[in-house]
Amino acid sequence: MAEHNIPRDEFGPEMIIEVYDSKTKLRGILVIDNTALGPSKGGMRMTPSVTVEEVFRLARVMTWKCAMAGLPFGGAKSGVIADPKKMSHDEKKALVQAFGRALRPVCPKLYIGAPDVNTGEEEMRWFSEAVGSWKACTGKPAEMCIATETDHKCGIPHEYGSTGWGVAVAARTAADILGFDMRGATVAVEGFGNVGSFSAKYLASMGARIVAASDSKGTIYNPDGISYEKLAEIKASSGTVTNYRPGEVFPGEKLFELPVDILIPAALADSINEKNVDSIKAKIIVEGANIPAKAEIEERLHRRGILVVPDFVANAGGVISSYSEIRGKHPEDMMALVEKKIAVAVKAVLRLAKKKNIKPRDAAVEIAAERVRRAMAKRGGRP
Ligand code: NAD
């Protein structure tokens, strides 16, 4: 087992599992942080640099995310140490299958996987088949169904845009609380991938005006408004949002300084940082990406009166979709559940933050931790 220095506290982690398979050369990591609320849930990433520390940090966030969304899931994360760009389709498949076989003792009883960096619905199919259980993971292809006498359940892949839908609902809920109307509110979205594009789509459908969007090539800005449909078409056909017209093209970082009501970071970690934090003009930031701002940066935004809906509250749409998949819900009912749960969570967090005059992230951790503590007390401290 490799050396690592994972802090332990009252919540966990309950298990740190490292697996190795000599045939495929699989090196995999699973950290199950806490299972008091139910089987632990968390995505499976495949990168050459993934470490036990990284997997643990993400697993803890999943503990808070599931508790905050009111789901009967604990928190976990898993990783395969490999570079998918340097292997064939069959080699990648063999690694994912080996990982599935290795995790049979805990999956799906204690751990249920999901897509993450470099894994999608195809990998979820391989993983589920290798574990030998439909319930081994979520985010499976829509045609991957099981039928029992009473049930017919199918996969719900990420293509429904549940996370972006949740981000849009979080923005609308926060705007309601601040007392401004979403209709006509201006929005900038960093990143135009799964989370960013669906956030833009659903915010536009709520009447907001998308004025800026970015990707790895730069930012497109038009204060009169950008058509979501046309932007999605340009991105798909030319590979970048910066080919949209009419509009001005700026470097990616410029997006954070634009005069908008709502800012949605939906791409990189630390995109809001020391360099740009004081130039931000948005009234609300809804964190679609994971950790787009460090705690001290969020503190500065809070002191400037900018409302930040933290990542694990705002981007829980994906895991709510996972819960819906496990329960055999139709995608339409899943979208309704995302709307309900995200709105309830954002209201609870912002209410407590206001009452205690603390930043929303601190309020969210307080609520989530209390729910996990209660569940742990109920099961009698059983690890
Ligand atoms: P994705 O790969 O689909 O999209 C990422 C986008 O970011 C791409 O459009 C890419 O062009 C863009 N990008 C890359 N470099 C950029 C830069 N320098 N400036 C601006 N844009 C840049 O990924 P995703 O699934 O949309 O995930 C985005 C973030 O949301 C990640 O932090 C992820 O962990 C988090 N997240 C995703 C989900 C989900 O359901 N997909 C759920 C929770 C959290």
Side-chain angles (χ1 to χ4, degrees):
M1 185 178 283
E3 283 291 311
H4 52 72
N5 189 16
I6 304 294
R8 260 82 175 181
D9 62 19
E10 64 178 303
F11 302 106
E14 291 176 9
M15 283 187 202
I16 299 174
I17 299 173
E18 290 182 68
V19 296
Y20 170 68
D21 173 58
S22 60
K23 191 162 166 242
T24 55
K25 301 283 178 281
L26 162 79
R27 283 185 303 150
I29 302 161
L30 168 65
V31 177
I32 296 180
D33 182 45
N34 190 288
T35 57
L37 285 164
S40 63
K41 195 80 192 65
M44 179 191 307
R45 55 181 51 190
M46 186 184 284
T47 64
S49 58
V50 63
T51 61
V52 178
E53 284 79 5
E54 175 186 338
V55 174
F56 163 67
R57 277 201 311 277
L58 295 160
R60 174 57 54 87
V61 173
M62 286 306 297
T63 300
W64 298 154
K65 188 185 288 196
C66 294
M68 193 61 239
L71 297 173
F73 287 143
K77 200 85 183 180
S78 67
V80 171
I81 309 169
D83 187 350
K85 289 194 191 87
K86 291 191 180 147
M87 66 180 75
S88 67
H89 174 269
D90 285 355
E91 283 165 338
K92 187 177 188 189
K93 184 174 178 181
L95 276 184
V96 173
Q97 288 173 327
F99 198 40
R101 285 193 299 274
L103 296 187
R104 273 181 194 158
V106 291
C107 185
K109 192 163 180 273
L110 295 176
Y111 172 64
I112 301 171
D116 197 70
V117 180
N118 292 330
T119 62
E121 54 183 283
E122 193 172 21
E123 287 75 14
M124 293 307 109
R125 178 199 290 282
W126 301 333
F127 183 79
S128 161
E129 285 170 354
V131 172
S133 166
W134 185 89
K135 282 190 174 171
C137 58
T138 56
K140 299 182 292 295
E143 71 280 4
M144 201 173 167
C145 304
I146 51 160
T148 64
E149 268 171 30
T150 52
D151 250 348
H152 183 77
K153 299 178 175 181
C154 294
I156 305 185
H158 269 191
E159 281 54 41
Y160 288 99
S162 52
T163 305
W165 169 231
V167 168
V169 171
R172 184 178 65 193
T173 310
D176 276 353
I177 289 171
L178 286 194
F180 75 86
D181 198 337
M182 281 298 279
R183 278 165 302 172
T186 53
V187 179
V189 182
E190 177 229 22
F192 207 69
N194 182 285
V195 178
S197 64
F198 281 108
S199 300
K201 174 181 174 170
Y202 292 121
L203 283 162
S205 76
M206 291 170 182
R209 183 154 40 109
I210 309 299
V211 296
S214 69
D215 59 23
S216 56
K217 305 274 170 16
T219 296
I220 182 77
Y221 176 55
N222 183 340
D224 295 329
I226 289 172
S227 148
Y228 163 77
E229 284 78 16
K230 206 172 135 195
L231 186 65
E233 208 182 290
I234 298 281
K235 171 81 178 165
S237 61
S238 77
T240 171
V241 294
T242 56
N243 285 327
Y244 180 94
R245 293 295 178 276
E248 283 176 87
V249 178
F250 296 125
E253 315 83 75
K254 176 84 176 164
L255 178 116
F256 295 92
E257 300 170 13
L258 296 171
V260 293
D261 298 313
I262 300 171
L263 175 62
I264 315 273
L268 307 177
D270 284 331
S271 57
I272 303 174
N273 50 47
E274 194 65 43
K275 282 191 217 141
N276 61 18
V277 60
D278 294 324
S279 317
I280 287 175
K281 298 176 185 70
K283 299 185 185 83
I284 297 175
I285 298 175
V286 182
E287 297 182 341
N290 286 321
I291 339 175
K294 291 203 169 75
E296 59 272 23
I297 298 290
E298 278 187 4
E299 187 66 49
R300 277 164 70 173
L301 292 164
H302 179 62
R303 274 192 259 123
R304 288 187 51 213
I306 298 171
L307 194 158
V308 180
V309 183
D311 46 12
F312 72 84
V313 181
N315 69 23
V319 76
I320 299 169
S321 170
S322 295
Y323 167 75
S324 306
E325 183 176 334
I326 291 286
R327 286 291 150 104
K329 286 187 191 294
H330 188 275
E332 254 174 45
D333 299 329
M334 173 277 283
M335 295 295 263
L337 191 67
V338 169
E339 180 173 20
K340 190 171 148 201
K341 283 195 171 292
I342 295 279
V344 166
V346 171
K347 278 182 205 155
V349 166
L350 298 188
R351 204 180 300 128
L352 184 65
K354 187 166 180 210
K355 187 173 152 207
K356 292 196 156 183
N357 194 23
I358 52 178
K359 62 179 192 302
R361 178 175 298 276
D362 298 339
V365 171
E366 195 174 314
I367 295 170
E370 194 42 41
R371 287 179 184 171
V372 177
R373 254 184 223 113
R374 273 206 307 268
M376 289 173 80
K378 228 169 161 180
R379 74 174 181 182
R382 181 171 52 81

